């Protein structure tokens, strides 16, 4: 929940600290509030999974709860305002993500240790689907709590994290012996730096640069992308040379492990794109067209997306249980085909859709992802030797978290590119037709489309935001002001350009789901890696794959 609860609450948070996130120079605060948690989670989980193998998975897990609780308290007590207040929140979100990474890096390994192969799919299914459902429930919880007080968004984590800390220390016991070893410092540094620079470069690629709607031509972005890839290549070389590597590259010889992680990465990218595009679609167009105030759309967007969460909760544990009996490949592959079908169905909907078919497609998407996630996690974790389950759990979480972070850069860029082709002319002519001076209309229409996207994402009326700061609205008639800032002007104006961008986004997402299905189908059969004898070498497990 904490990974997503802030997303829907950003308008209330920035109003609470007195900061306009869309003002010049403040867009960085907005991006890091959204992405800071995801980037840290993507970079650190492998390191912390390896520490779990070395020092005890339960010990690292318990410490993660303690760090998470401390950061939750600090977030709810932000003493500053404006930029300083935003930096406080970003810093402690990073610390919170560090604690959260200790939890997610080791939870699957702890469960895999505790449950025999015949029950593992059910156990991991409940764990995995609860986590994924929490991401979408966080959108609803954030909308509800932000209506009460922006600090309540962080207060809700405090009793949960404190209780979880006490409970985990009292109830969890180590079921696998940790093996002390050397810390792979060079591997840790090259991976964390390379992945961090690469993901940060992708993040800043969605910001405009030099007259372009996106920043992919920005030298700093290009340097980040190239430098990040080079450092990750250095990391791969390092891991083949050190005696006790952080990243067990030989695990990719296990077909079930490699195919399952590839499918998980692509599915996470598609799922993240779906989440953000649905928020923009609902908040920026559909809800205002149906009479909802822009300020109320974050809450209602979370409510109207509940069928997606329901699908997760229905399919996850059931598919996990059935995969214990019939294998993971059938359910995970079928689930991804269902996900691809739901994306194609969303493509066929008009921008101003009837809610029934829309809810049905969200439910179908949730069912498909639930069918995939539980068996896939069980297959990945059951395919590796027990002594490597901590690092394997961290590697799995890295692919999933990296996919979520990548989705923002990928799908925002696709949407911005789609909008850039038609939005400026549509917006300019629409504003001029309702009394806005041509020079002002041209200036507003020439602004980067990402500003319009972020405005709708934050539950702001984009036209009121774009015209209000310059005093243009004060020079229009009351009727013109009412039309321009009403519920329907902006949504109807941008519905055409938005649908063009949406077609690109959901088309790519459907393609990713289909490629994921192929990867899942190629995972093959495997024997659960419950033994850890001397003969269980990397070559042995590669043959089992």
């Amino acid at each position: 929940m904490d990974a997503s609860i802030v997303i829907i609450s950003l308008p209330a948070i920035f109003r609470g600290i007195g900061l306009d996130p869309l003002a010049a120079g403040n867009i960085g605060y907005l991006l890091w509030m959204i992405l800071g948690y995801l980037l840290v989670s993507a970079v650190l989980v492998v390191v912390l999974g390896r520490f779990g193998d070395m020092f005890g998975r339960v010990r690292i897990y318990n410490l993660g709860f303690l760090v998470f609780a401390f950061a939750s308290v600090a977030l709810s007590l932000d003493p500053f305002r404006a930029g300083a207040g935003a930096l406080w929140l970003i810093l402690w979100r990073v610390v919170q993500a560090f604690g959260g990474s200790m939890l997610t890096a080791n939870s699957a390994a702890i469960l895999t240790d505790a449950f025999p192969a015949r029950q593992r799919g059910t156990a991991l299914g409940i764990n995995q689907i609860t986590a994924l459902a929490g991401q979408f429930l966080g959108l609803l919880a954030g909308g509800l709590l932000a209506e009460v007080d922006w600090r309540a968004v962080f207060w809700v984590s405090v009793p949960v994290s404190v209780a979880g800390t006490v409970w985990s220390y009292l109830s969890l016991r180590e079921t696998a012996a940790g093996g002390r070893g050397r810390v792979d410092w060079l591997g840790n540094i090259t991976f964390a730096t390379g992945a961090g620079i690469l993901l940060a470069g992708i993040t800043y690629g969605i910001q405009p640069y030099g007259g372009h709607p996106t920043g992919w031509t920005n030298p700093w972005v290009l340097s980040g992308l190239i430098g990040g890839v080079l450092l990750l290549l250095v990391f791969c070389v390092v891991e083949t040379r050190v005696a006790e590597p952080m990243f067990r590259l030989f695990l990719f010889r296990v077909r079930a492990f490699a195919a399952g992680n590839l499918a998980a990465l692509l599915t996470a990218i598609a799922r993240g794109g779906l989440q953000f595009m649905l928020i923009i679609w609902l908040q920026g167009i559909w809800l205002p067209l149906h009479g909802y105030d822009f300020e109320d759309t974050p809450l209602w967007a979370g409510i109207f997306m509940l069928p997606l969460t329901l699908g997760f909760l229905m399919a996850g544990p059931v598919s996990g249980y059935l995969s214990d009996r019939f294998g993971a490949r059938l359910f995970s592959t079928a689930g991804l085909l269902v996900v691809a079908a739901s994306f194609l169905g969303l493509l066929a909907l008009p921008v101003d859709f009837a809610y029934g078919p829309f809810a049905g497609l969200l439910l179908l998407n949730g069912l498909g992802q639930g069918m995939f996630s539980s068996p896939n996690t069980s297959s990945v974790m059951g395919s590796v030797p027990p002594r490597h389950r901590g690092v394997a759990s961290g590697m799995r979480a890295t692919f999933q978290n990296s996919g979520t972070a990548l989705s923002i850069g990928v799908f925002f860029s696709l949407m911005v590119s789609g909008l850039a082709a038609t939005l400026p002319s549509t917006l300019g002519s629409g504003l001029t037709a309702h009394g806005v001076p041509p020079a002002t209309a041209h200036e507003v229409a020439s602004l980067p489309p990402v500003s319009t996207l972020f405005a709708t994402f934050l539950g702001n009326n984009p036209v009121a935001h774009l015209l209000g700061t310059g005093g243009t609205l004060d020079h229009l008639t009351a009727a013109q002001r009412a039309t321009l800032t009403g519920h329907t002007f902006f949504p109807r104006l941008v519905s055409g350009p938005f649908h063009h961008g949406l077609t690109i986004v959901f088309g790519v997402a459907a393609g990713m789901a289909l490629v994921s299905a192929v990867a899942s189908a190629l995972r093959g059969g495997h024997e659960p890696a419950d033994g850890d004898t001397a003969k269980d070498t990397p070559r042995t497990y590669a043959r089992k794959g």
Side-chain angles (χ1 to χ4, degrees), residues 213-464:
T214 57
W216 298 109
T217 57
N218 186 334
W220 288 105
V221 171
L222 292 173
S223 298
L225 298 177
I226 296 170
V229 169
L230 289 177
L231 280 172
L232 290 177
L233 291 175
V234 171
F235 163 75
C236 291
V237 174
V238 168
E239 296 304 273
T240 62
R241 304 293 176 86
V242 297
E244 298 183 37
M246 176 192 79
F247 214 94
R248 303 287 175 161
L249 294 177
F250 75 80
L251 292 177
F252 288 107
R253 300 177 191 170
V254 182
R255 188 165 51 167
F257 183 83
N261 277 308
L262 174 60
L265 172 66
L266 294 175
T267 305
I269 295 174
R271 181 174 58 248
L274 173 70
Q275 175 177 300
F276 285 99
M277 291 306 110
L278 288 180
I279 292 173
I280 294 171
W281 193 356
L282 289 169
Q283 292 185 188
I285 296 180
W286 193 83
L287 286 168
L289 283 177
H290 288 257
Y292 293 86
D293 291 334
F294 280 92
E295 293 78 10
D296 297 331
T297 56
L299 168 61
W300 286 102
I303 293 173
F304 281 111
M305 288 169 61
L306 280 176
L308 190 61
T309 304
L310 181 61
F312 278 133
L313 295 176
M314 290 170 58
V318 175
S319 64
Y321 171 77
L322 292 175
S323 70
D324 288 335
R325 300 186 60 188
F326 303 109
R329 178 163 57 176
L330 172 64
F331 295 96
S332 59
T333 305
L336 289 170
L337 293 175
V338 171
V339 170
S342 69
F343 279 125
L344 295 176
L346 288 169
L347 269 175
L349 288 180
V351 173
D352 188 11
F353 51 81
Y355 182 69
F358 177 78
L361 288 169
L362 291 191
L363 179 65
L364 189 67
N365 191 283
L367 289 170
Q369 294 200 48
M371 290 173 63
F372 163 75
S373 296
S374 302
N376 188 69
T377 302
S378 178
S379 173
V380 168
M381 292 303 300
S383 67
V384 301
R387 66 184 180 276
H388 298 312
R389 281 175 182 158
V391 71
S393 178
M395 292 163 73
R396 180 195 62 82
T398 290
F399 282 108
Q400 184 168 299
N401 295 341
S402 297
T404 304
L406 283 169
S407 69
I408 298 175
V410 170
F411 286 105
F412 263 98
S413 294
L414 289 172
M415 177 58 74
V416 167
S417 299
L419 288 176
T422 53
L423 181 60
S425 59
T426 304
L427 186 58
S429 60
L431 292 174
T432 304
H434 288 81
V436 176
T440 304
H442 176 74
E443 181 182 352
V444 170
S446 300
L447 291 174
V450 70
S451 299
T452 305
L453 276 184
F454 278 138
T456 58
F457 187 77
L458 293 172
N460 289 331
N461 185 329
V463 175

Side-chain angles (χ1 to χ4, degrees), residues 481-527:
R481 284 197 303 271
T483 298
L484 289 171
T485 60
H487 292 156
T488 61
F489 173 76
F490 178 78
R492 293 194 187 283
L493 189 69
V494 301
S495 59
F498 180 80
H499 191 264
H500 175 66
L502 204 64
T503 300
I504 298 173
V505 167
F506 284 150
V508 172
M512 286 185 173
L514 289 173
V515 174
S516 298
V518 172
S520 180
L522 294 175
R523 76 177 65 235
H526 69 277
E527 300 174 32

